[in-house]
């Protein structure tokens, strides 16, 4: 699924150990849910979490949410059992497996092959289950291009800021916080690096969690930084963050209307009737083919988010 595929503006983390939260998440307006067997679940609770997740996927009503399960990373002994139990048990009701702390392409290829084996065994379409790759350490970031290219199943590249900051010894305890001693945004390089790899392979780029769940203004401020770069969405850890994410990662109504206007106007002006013009003034703005491409991005995000336009293009009266 490409960068303009199913919306993933808000990706809700749901601990697989909590039957209550697995139930509640189904009714929340997040674009995606990821049911977690990794860091939100204690080691002793992981076997139970796998079972809870299979039951919730098969019996729950998830609407048109993207349904993802986050398994444990490949340095642990749990990963293969997570994948086998969840996909054998609920593969028909699952869109993707999220692999955290990915370090290289081989880890993604391992998951791809295991998924293929399970799909063949249980009679699911081969290649139907996607992969979400979470970048959470220096090795993952350095290898992000190869990770993005490792399998046609990869749909998203996700930034995992908490683990990432720990792995590179970044001196902050608040995810997303700018560091007073350092004048630039320390996340900028990481986000851009992930974004380039994602776009090169037509994948979605997803920003990770903001842990101060009661501080919705703080969440919004941090989300706006990755949204401005072009990220498609962000994790949400609490229902209170969902509306903010859905808003920040959708175009504003004015930008959406303007993008649709440019598309209509450019189609008209480049046509025989409009004078076969390749560069033209639209109000005070010069538009050309590159404007159409920029407008397509904004219009695509708006359409995927179900927005409707509030204005239309009227061709000039040539008298
Ligand atoms: C998410 O998994 C993170 O480490 O930020
Ligand atoms: Mg993490």
């Amino acid at each position: 699924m490409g960068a303009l595929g199913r919306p993933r503006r808000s990706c809700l983390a749901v601990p697989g150990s909590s039957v209550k939260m697995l139930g509640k998440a189904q009714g929340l307006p997040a674009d995606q849910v990821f049911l977690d067997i990794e860091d939100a679940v204690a080691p002793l609770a992981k076997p139970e979490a796998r079972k809870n997740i299979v039951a919730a996927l098969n019996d729950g009503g998830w609407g048109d949410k993207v349904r993802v399960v986050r398994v444990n990373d490949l340095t642990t002994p749990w990963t293969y059992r997570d994948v086998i139990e969840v996909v054998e048990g609920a593969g028909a009701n699952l869109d993707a497996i999220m692999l955290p702390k990915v370090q290289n392409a081989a880890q993604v290829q391992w998951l791809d092959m295991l998924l293929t084996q399970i799909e063949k065994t249980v009679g699911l379409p081969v290649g139907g289950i996607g992969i979400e790759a979470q970048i959470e350490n220096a090795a993952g970031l350095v290898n992000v291009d190869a990770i993005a290219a490792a399998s046609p199943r990869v749909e998203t590249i996700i930034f995992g800021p908490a683990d990432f900051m720990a792995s590179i010894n970044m001196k902050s305890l608040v995810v997303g916080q700018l560091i007073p001693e350092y004048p630039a945004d320390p996340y900028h390089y990481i986000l851009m690096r992930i974004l380039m790899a994602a776009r090169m392979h037509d994948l979605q780029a997803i920003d990770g969690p903001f842990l101060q769940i009661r501080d919705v203004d703080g969440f919004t401020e941090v989300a706006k930084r990755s949204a401005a770069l072009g990220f498609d969405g962000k994790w949400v850890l609490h229902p209170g963050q969902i509306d903010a994410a859905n808003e920040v990662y959708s175009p504003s109504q004015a930008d959406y209307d303007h993008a649709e206007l440019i598309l209509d106007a450019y189609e008209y002006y480049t046509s025989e009737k409009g004078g076969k013009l390749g560069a033209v003034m639209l109000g005070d703005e010069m538009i050309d083919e590159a404007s159409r491409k920029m407008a397509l991005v904004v219009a695509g995000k708006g359409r995927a988010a179900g927005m409707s336009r509030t204005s239309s293009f009227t061709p000039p009266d040539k008298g």
Side-chain angles (χ1 to χ4, degrees), residues 38 70 134 136 159-164 209 235:
E38 203 221 11
R70 180 167 73 165
Q134 223 192 328
E136 309 198 71
F159 177 36
D163 274 301
F164 199 98
W235 282 12

Side-chain angles (χ1 to χ4, degrees), residues 13 34 39-40 70 134 136 159-166 172-177 187 207-216 218-220 222-223 234-238 241:
F34 74 89
D39 282 359
R70 180 167 73 165
Q134 223 192 328
E136 309 198 71
F159 177 36
D163 274 301
F164 199 98
M165 287 160 61
S172 172
L173 279 176
V174 180
V175 160
Q177 187 181 53
Y187 301 94
D207 196 2
F210 182 76
L211 308 181
Q212 278 64 27
I213 57 170
R214 290 186 214 293
D215 181 6
V216 178
F219 172 92
T220 302
V222 171
K234 184 171 177 64
W235 282 12
V236 292
L237 303 181
H238 185 267
Q241 297 176 325

Side-chain angles (χ1 to χ4, degrees), residues 252-311:
S252 68
Q253 186 67 46
D255 284 352
Y256 175 66
D257 284 343
H258 190 58
E260 295 283 15
L261 186 72
I262 289 176
L263 292 178
D264 285 352
Y266 201 65
E267 190 181 336
Y268 170 77
Y269 284 115
T270 50
S271 73
E272 192 84 44
K273 213 162 115 207
K276 293 185 276 185
L277 302 171
V280 72
M281 291 303 286
L282 180 66
D284 291 338
E285 181 185 10
M286 168 83 82
I287 62 167
D288 70 2
E289 175 59 25
S291 319
R292 188 184 69 85
K293 291 200 175 78
M294 291 194 292
L296 266 180
V297 172
V298 176
K301 286 194 185 212
R303 289 174 201 168
M307 295 176 78
S308 13
R309 55 196 297 186
T310 58
S311 64

Side-chain angles (χ1 to χ4, degrees), residues 23-101:
K24 185 166 177 210
Q26 295 169 27
L28 296 173
D31 289 339
Q32 167 174 319
V33 286
F34 74 89
L35 315 182
D36 197 15
I37 323 178
E38 203 221 11
D39 282 359
V41 177
L44 289 177
K46 290 184 195 288
E48 193 64 32
R50 295 181 188 127
K51 293 192 173 32
N52 296 339
I53 286 172
V54 167
L57 286 171
N58 288 337
D59 306 335
W62 297 95
D64 55 7
K65 290 180 183 45
V66 183
R67 300 151 303 174
V68 178
V69 171
R70 180 167 73 165
V71 297
N72 287 279
D73 85 89
L74 277 164
T75 64
T76 71
W78 300 304
T79 324
Y80 77 101
R81 213 176 273 282
D82 293 342
V83 178
I84 291 170
E85 201 166 319
V86 166
V87 181
E88 278 192 355
N93 295 311
L94 175 69
D95 296 300
I97 293 286
M98 185 188 298
L99 190 61
K101 302 178 179 69

Side-chain angles (χ1 to χ4, degrees), residues 113-292:
M113 285 188 263
L114 181 55
L115 286 171
T116 298
Q117 294 239 298
I118 304 170
E119 285 164 343
K120 284 181 177 167
T121 305
V122 300
L124 291 168
V126 170
I129 294 175
I131 294 177
E132 302 207 341
Q134 223 192 328
I135 302 298
E136 309 198 71
N137 49 45
L141 193 66
V142 168
N143 293 326
V144 67
D145 294 332
I147 288 168
S151 157
R153 294 181 189 266
V154 179
E155 296 182 6
T156 68
I157 305 289
I158 307 162
F159 177 36
D163 274 301
F164 199 98
M165 287 160 61
S167 92
I168 64 168
N169 292 0
M170 196 187 270
K171 202 182 87 182
S172 172
L173 279 176
V174 180
V175 160
Q177 187 181 53
L178 300 181
I179 301 172
E181 297 88 337
Y182 184 68
D185 175 349
Y187 301 94
H188 183 73
Y189 166 74
I190 310 169
L191 291 170
M192 271 305 207
R193 191 70 197 79
I194 287 174
L195 186 64
M196 292 309 119
R199 291 295 180 257
M200 181 174 169
H201 299 282
D202 198 21
L203 310 178
Q204 291 186 321
I206 305 295
D207 196 2
F210 182 76
L211 308 181
Q212 278 64 27
I213 57 170
R214 290 186 214 293
D215 181 6
V216 178
D217 290 344
F219 172 92
T220 302
E221 192 190 319
V222 171
K224 278 183 174 169
R225 301 212 297 263
S226 64
L229 300 179
F231 270 61
D232 299 284
K234 184 171 177 64
W235 282 12
V236 292
L237 303 181
H238 185 267
Q241 297 176 325
I242 296 177
D243 287 348
N246 288 345
E247 188 176 330
V248 171
Y249 293 93
S250 302
S252 68
Q253 186 67 46
D255 284 352
Y256 175 66
D257 284 343
H258 190 58
E260 295 283 15
L261 186 72
I262 289 176
L263 292 178
D264 285 352
Y266 201 65
E267 190 181 336
Y268 170 77
Y269 284 115
T270 50
S271 73
E272 192 84 44
K273 213 162 115 207
K276 293 185 276 185
L277 302 171
V280 72
M281 291 303 286
L282 180 66
D284 291 338
E285 181 185 10
M286 168 83 82
I287 62 167
D288 70 2
E289 175 59 25
S291 319
R292 188 184 69 85

